[in-house]
Amino acid sequence: MAIFDWLSPKTRQNPNQQSIQQRLKRDPYYRLQSTEEIAVAAKLGLTIDVNQAGVDDWLRLPGISIHQARTLFELTSSGVQFCCLEDLAAALGWSVQRLTPLQPILRFCYYDPESLVTPELVNPNTASLEQLTKIPAVDLFLARAIMQNRFDGGPYRNLADLKRRLELNPQLTSELMYYLIF
């Protein structure tokens, strides 16, 4: 049996890699400096979703300037999606070869634009009949009931209070919770 067979993986690891691991674990915004650090970060499970990355995420990558990080963030915030390394290279004005060393930690995930739309929140204590009926789960009958009950019983304290007072079923309450704010 070789001496390495019984040593733990951590003991067998290069001391430089141990140092990199410790830095990455200590500082969540540590800026990677080399392909070796990228490899260690990838082994630790560090990934950057290019379509959800913030400026700080982009700045973790070697060679990315603050200007480039802001540009990439602005593009993705406005709805531009990067599907592959080539898209990212084009946005940066870099060659694909220059980005290839970063690939182990880059993730290209697709997001349906419709799933990213946050519904406009409505306060049932102040909303008009028209505002209430714009909520997908609310018909004219329910909108009138919400308004009448708020007039008779005062403002709703929270979603649970609205459910209880209007005797709403759990399914409807589950649908409403994404559209109401108290």
Side-chain angles (χ1 to χ4, degrees):
M1 175 189 278
I3 191 164
F4 291 115
D5 292 342
W6 60 269
L7 292 175
S8 71
K10 195 171 192 172
T11 309
R12 282 186 252 157
Q13 193 175 37
N14 174 335
N16 190 36
Q17 288 183 341
Q18 286 180 349
S19 172
I20 295 167
Q21 271 187 347
Q22 290 170 353
R23 273 183 268 159
L24 288 168
K25 289 178 180 177
R26 259 194 325 266
D27 183 3
Y29 295 106
Y30 176 74
R31 188 163 184 170
L32 302 168
Q33 305 294 319
S34 67
T35 54
E36 183 182 13
E37 288 185 346
I38 290 171
V40 172
K43 280 184 184 176
L44 288 173
L46 177 89
T47 61
I48 296 175
D49 180 343
V50 299
N51 290 309
Q52 296 283 310
V55 173
D56 289 333
D57 297 315
W58 288 115
L59 286 174
R60 294 189 77 180
L61 300 174
I64 301 285
S65 71
I66 184 71
H67 171 74
Q68 291 166 322
R70 286 179 180 155
T71 298
L72 293 171
F73 177 71
E74 185 179 339
L75 286 170
T76 57
S77 294
S78 68
V80 173
Q81 290 200 37
F82 301 115
C83 298
C84 58
L85 212 54
E86 289 79 6
D87 291 350
L88 197 54
L92 290 169
W94 288 4
S95 69
V96 174
Q97 290 76 19
R98 188 171 173 188
L99 282 173
T100 302
L102 306 178
Q103 196 164 11
I105 61 172
L106 296 178
R107 296 291 169 257
F108 294 87
C109 301
Y110 172 77
Y111 296 93
D112 177 22
E114 292 296 314
S115 70
L116 299 176
V117 175
T118 306
E120 183 179 334
L121 298 176
V122 175
N123 186 334
N125 292 314
T126 58
S128 67
L129 189 66
E130 181 183 353
Q131 288 172 311
L132 289 169
T133 56
K134 286 184 180 178
I135 298 171
V138 178
D139 59 13
L140 186 58
F141 177 78
L142 180 56
R144 286 184 178 151
I146 291 170
M147 293 183 72
Q148 185 61 50
N149 191 287
R150 129 181 128 198
F151 178 76
D152 295 341
Y156 301 104
R157 292 187 317 255
N158 53 36
L159 184 63
D161 185 41
L162 179 99
K163 178 194 181 316
R164 182 185 49 74
R165 287 170 47 182
L166 294 172
E167 299 177 5
L168 301 176
N169 69 49
Q171 177 63 35
L172 178 57
T173 306
S174 295
E175 292 176 41
L176 290 175
M177 73 180 160
Y178 295 102
Y179 298 94
L180 300 178
I181 187 166
F182 295 85

